Amino acid sequence: MDLLQTLKIALRALRTNKMRSFLTMLGIIIGIAAVIAMMAVGAGASHVIAQQIASIGSNIILVVPGSTTSGGLRMGSGGAQTLTSDDVRAIMNECPSVALASGTTRTTSQVVYGNMNWSTLIMGATPELFEIREWPVVSGRSISQQDVDGAAKVCLLGQTVVDNLFGADDPIGKMVRIKKVPFTVVGVLEQKGQSPQGTDQDDAVFVPLRTAQIKLSRSSFPNTVGAVIVQAKSEALLDKSEEEITSLLNQRHRITNGKEPDFSTRNLSEILAVAEQSSKAMSLLLGAVASISLIVGGIGIMNIMLVSVTERTREIGIRMAIGARRNDILLQFMTEAVLLTMIGGIIGILLGAGGAMIVSRILDWPTLISVQSVTVAFFFSAAVGIFFGFYPARKAAGLNPIDALRYE
Amino acid sequence: MSNVITLNGISRVFTMGDQQFEALKGISFGVDAGEFVAIMGASGSGKSTCMNILGCLDRPTSGEYHLDGLDVGGLDPNQLAAIRNRKLGFVFQGFNLLARTPAVENVELPLVYSGIHAKERRKRALAALEQVGLAGKEGNHTSQLSGGQQQRVAIARALINNPALILADEPTGNLDSSTSEEIMKLFTSLNQQGITIIMVTHETDVAAFAGRRITFRDGRIISDSLTGPTSPAGRPV
Ligand SMILES: Nc1ncnc2c1ncn2[C@@H]1O[C@H](COP(=O)(O)OP(=O)(O)OP(=O)(O)O)[C@@H](O)[C@H]1O
Ligand SMILES: [Mg+2]
């Protein structure tokens, strides 16, 4: 018996009981739709995290003052040294596994341009920062070493700041005031988007580190940096760099055994990897819940197929009497079950994809429907049909022709 | 003339729980190609049981059955299905057509299982419908046909694979007398074209169309006689 004919017979059987077929499919539809939607939301989350990892730069270690145990910062109190530009230089020069290091300061301030003003993050930075974070300018130029050394009153603007202060105007060469100090805008940074913590990375102004230390800070220690951003030479050297930095700073800050260090290091990619893993675990869990609904749907299919075999016992008898072999009958009922689940699967895929799109529209949550998840869902629905259709089909094929013919 | 059918000492014992019932008690007869045989007998005498064995739908408890020179006893279910498909045509009392299916597709059905492709199937099914006088009714569903027409569809289905033998168990049992006569005329003309027919009936006027009459009683043959001049000589074994 050819496949086309088998399909035709199966389709006719499903059509005769439209409502029943639809209700039977419903379990599969819901299950597959849930799987697709979950996978889309999960993949969207991982995608965002991966993007954020890339936006931070690779192989980054953050060195911040204060200790992890106390949690608070000990900025220059009790005579303890905090991180300084000299520390940064030492990390660059004396740690062999370190590629680049940049000292940074952060403060929040109003930035004024003409009669516009905008409160934003003011970061002091050295040219290395933009290299580490792979963050080029889209117009103008970046901050140079001469700017840092000469404490030049120049600045780079993030896209959000440009939008809020300048609108459509070109900010290059314009004068802005930060804490009453005039700065010349020399460049605009490429748009970065959100950080893993959810802050807008483009809502920032960058000035040369030395300028920030001297002109914008009221600290009595103008050499202080707020944090050091370090890039290891490779991913394999991340742990090694961390060790080198710790022992170097311990030595420089005279931290002996038993004394609490006045700095701490954090490996950013590690934090993000954990975040990514937990999002994966989440989507796996949701996937498991969805598969349970698929199994329930499959049992529904099996139930209806058993009813259908009983109802059509006479038809089976007729087919056998005129020459259908057991395998023909088996194939016929299997085809029916698989067709049910596959049609359900396709509807489920469409609904799931649509649902994911609606979620991403309404909640502004990114979703990603991968070809892989659609393929998996499709074949999984077929597999449910094969698995749960086999028993009823075998029951039909095992009928005795005379008994089947006599069945009322 | 060669024997289409040879039954030798066929018995069929039904077992229900610990009870046994011997529905056929050692039946032997032969049917030649081109014969038209009527099987008669009281209700419960074993006619349908015998027909089921002849139709390879059931197996005898003991005895030998040769169909068209083939020993049916040694065949597996798939081979039996192939025999039902190619060598036999069934006509039942209750028509046994597929509901909600056009006449032409009912007629085609045996060809579906013999792996004939769609175009050829349709051509042969239409020809068979014409042969039984149902040209133009091919699109009608089973429920849109009268009893006599349904039985004609069933006969067309039985004919489609050019079987060696047509088995009809009370083909007129559900029909009125004038429709019965039409069906019997159709059988007679098929028989005249050389098709062997074995038919079970309770009605003497229906049996009168056949050339030979075998009568059953309590699982045995009690008489086997030639009744018509058109039929070749039967040869009880
Ligand atoms: N599957 C079965 N199990 C048990 N007994 C059976 C079975 N099939 C038939 N019989 C018995 O065998 C006997 C012969 O039955 P069969 O159907 O051959 O009769 P029949 O001659 O066709 O009768 P009718 O003219 O009423 O159709 C009956 O007594 C019946 O009860
Ligand atoms: Mg009977």
Side-chain angles (χ1 to χ4, degrees):
Chain A
M1 179 145 107
D2 56 301
L3 201 67
L4 195 77
Q5 190 64 22
T6 314
L7 271 177
K8 228 171 118 182
I9 292 171
L11 270 176
R12 173 172 294 154
L14 296 186
R15 265 210 312 267
T16 24
N17 278 308
K18 278 196 204 72
M19 192 61 187
R20 188 162 93 183
S21 302
F22 173 72
L23 289 175
T24 312
M25 274 181 216
L26 210 52
I28 301 295
I29 293 176
I30 293 170
I32 291 287
V35 168
I36 289 286
M38 297 303 164
M39 297 227 273
V41 170
S46 324
H47 178 70
V48 166
I49 289 168
Q51 253 185 353
Q52 288 170 342
I53 288 174
S55 81
I56 286 186
S58 46
N59 312 326
I60 305 268
I61 296 163
L62 202 61
V63 187
V64 293
S67 76
T68 34
T69 45
S70 70
L73 303 178
R74 305 158 162 189
M75 301 283 280
S77 62
Q81 255 186 312
T82 51
L83 298 167
T84 65
S85 295
D86 298 330
D87 287 331
V88 178
R89 212 164 297 126
I91 289 170
M92 272 269 253
N93 296 335
E94 290 170 41
C95 297
S97 306
V98 167
L100 294 166
S102 170
T104 60
T105 63
R106 319 162 56 99
T107 176
T108 307
S109 167
Q110 292 287 129
V111 180
V112 182
Y113 169 68
N115 58 356
M116 306 289 283
N117 71 86
W118 181 248
S119 176
T120 186
L121 170 71
I122 315 294
M123 266 193 105
T126 62
E128 288 86 358
L129 179 75
F130 304 99
E131 225 178 298
I132 294 172
R133 301 196 57 186
E134 291 163 26
W135 202 355
V137 292
V138 283
S139 63
R141 64 169 181 90
S142 192
I143 288 171
S144 68
Q145 191 58 47
Q146 289 96 297
D147 293 332
V148 177
D149 293 342
K153 287 183 271 183
V154 295
C155 68
L156 298 179
L157 303 184
Q159 193 59 52
T160 307
V161 179
V162 173
D163 293 344
N164 283 287
L165 286 182
F166 291 90
D169 293 352
D170 180 13
I172 307 293
K174 303 274 163 44
M175 199 72 85
V176 296
R177 283 168 182 283
I178 304 167
K179 295 192 175 171
K180 302 203 173 72
V181 183
F183 282 81
T184 309
V185 179
V186 292
V188 174
L189 288 161
E190 192 184 84
Q191 190 148 7
K192 265 279 192 202
Q194 284 201 340
S195 77
Q197 285 79 26
T199 55
D200 178 6
Q201 300 181 86
D202 301 310
D203 191 3
V205 172
F206 291 83
V207 301
L209 177 63
R210 190 101 197 100
T211 318
Q213 287 169 329
I214 296 169
K215 303 273 171 21
L216 300 178
S217 161
R218 263 166 260 143
S219 164
S220 45
F221 300 95
N223 212 15
T224 306
V225 299
V228 188
I229 294 171
V230 180
Q231 183 170 43
K233 280 186 173 145
S234 72
E235 201 182 331
L237 289 175
L238 264 173
D239 290 343
K240 189 110 187 303
S241 304
E242 220 172 333
E243 278 166 32
E244 287 169 4
I245 294 163
T246 307
S247 77
L248 176 74
L249 291 181
N250 278 343
Q251 193 195 325
R252 286 178 62 87
H253 297 193
R254 298 194 188 79
I255 314 283
T256 47
N257 276 353
K259 222 174 132 187
E260 218 175 281
D262 59 356
F263 66 91
S264 63
T265 59
R266 264 186 263 160
N267 182 335
L268 279 194
S269 357
E270 244 167 42
I271 297 168
L272 292 174
V274 169
E276 188 178 27
Q277 226 154 44
S278 67
S279 100
K280 266 189 189 149
M282 194 62 196
S283 55
L284 217 71
L285 187 77
L286 295 171
V289 172
S291 345
I292 289 173
S293 106
L294 275 182
I295 289 171
V296 173
I299 293 170
I301 300 253
M302 175 139 86
N303 192 16
I304 287 301
M305 289 309 295
L306 282 173
V307 171
S308 175
V309 168
T310 308
E311 276 179 358
R312 283 153 66 195
T313 300
R314 207 182 165 86
E315 177 197 324
I316 295 166
I318 294 170
R319 288 179 186 278
M320 284 177 159
I322 60 167
R325 284 162 301 150
R326 300 211 153 150
N327 279 346
D328 293 326
I329 302 293
L330 187 83
L331 192 70
Q332 183 189 332
F333 280 88
M334 288 288 278
T335 307
E336 234 179 277
V338 172
L339 213 58
L340 261 179
T341 56
M342 284 209 311
I343 294 173
I346 290 168
I347 298 175
I349 287 169
L350 294 177
L351 277 182
M357 274 177 209
I358 290 169
V359 164
S360 72
R361 272 285 156 74
I362 293 176
L363 301 181
D364 200 23
W365 176 275
T367 57
L368 209 89
I369 298 152
S370 65
V371 178
Q372 192 194 4
S373 69
V374 169
T375 321
V376 167
F378 183 74
F379 284 106
F380 199 78
S381 64
V384 167
I386 291 170
F387 185 80
F388 289 101
F390 181 71
Y391 174 70
R394 210 191 51 176
K395 201 178 157 201
L399 285 171
N400 176 338
I402 321 173
D403 294 343
L405 269 176
R406 284 231 185 100
Y407 186 86
E408 293 296 332
Chain B
M1 288 268 179
S2 64
N3 266 18
V4 176
I5 275 177
T6 313
L7 291 185
N8 211 338
I10 294 286
S11 77
R12 178 68 169 96
V13 180
F14 291 109
T15 311
M16 294 157 291
D18 49 0
Q19 275 196 327
Q20 290 209 326
F21 180 78
E22 197 175 8
L24 293 178
K25 300 166 181 163
I27 300 268
S28 301
F29 65 91
V31 176
D32 283 346
E35 273 196 284
F36 188 171
V37 181
I39 295 178
M40 299 195 74
S43 190
S45 57
K47 304 180 297 291
S48 293
T49 307
C50 183
M51 289 296 266
N52 288 339
I53 289 171
L54 289 175
C56 299
L57 291 165
D58 194 11
R59 288 173 189 271
T61 311
S62 64
E64 267 176 50
Y65 171 26
H66 288 263
L67 172 64
D68 224 8
L70 206 68
D71 183 1
V72 174
L75 302 179
D76 67 26
N78 280 348
Q79 289 171 314
L80 290 178
I83 287 192
R84 292 199 292 271
N85 185 238
R86 297 205 177 139
K87 290 198 189 285
L88 301 174
F90 290 94
V91 180
F92 303 92
Q93 179 177 4
F95 317 135
N96 278 340
L97 299 175
L98 295 186
R100 290 179 292 269
T101 305
V104 68
E105 286 187 35
N106 266 296
V107 177
E108 273 180 8
L109 210 53
L111 298 181
V112 167
Y113 294 109
S114 18
I116 308 258
H117 62 81
K119 237 180 170 170
E120 170 81 7
R121 281 205 304 260
R122 189 51 53 104
K123 206 180 97 196
R124 278 165 67 176
L126 289 175
L129 278 172
E130 195 174 330
Q131 199 181 352
V132 298
L134 278 184
K137 293 284 185 193
E138 59 268 9
N140 287 37
H141 284 212
T142 305
S143 56
Q144 298 163 334
L145 294 170
S146 71
Q149 286 171 331
Q150 288 187 45
Q151 196 60 298
R152 283 167 191 269
V153 173
I155 292 169
R157 184 179 67 188
L159 285 173
I160 190 121
N161 242 343
N162 301 318
L165 177 65
I166 284 186
L167 296 168
D169 195 347
E170 300 189 41
T172 59
N174 283 8
L175 303 173
D176 63 40
S177 55
S178 73
T179 318
S180 294
E181 199 174 315
E182 283 172 29
I183 294 292
M184 288 327 295
K185 278 181 181 151
L186 179 57
F187 270 137
T188 307
S189 87
L190 292 174
N191 179 240
Q192 275 160 3
Q193 290 162 37
I195 296 172
T196 313
I197 299 172
I198 300 178
M199 172 186 73
V200 170
T201 184
H202 283 288
E203 295 152 76
T204 339
D205 45 343
V206 168
F209 284 87
R212 175 178 166 194
R213 186 178 302 179
I214 298 176
T215 310
F216 279 50
R217 183 189 288 163
D218 296 334
R220 284 195 181 96
I221 294 179
I222 54 160
S223 80
D224 183 349
S225 58
L226 299 181
T227 50
T230 54
S231 164
R235 285 182 301 183
V237 181

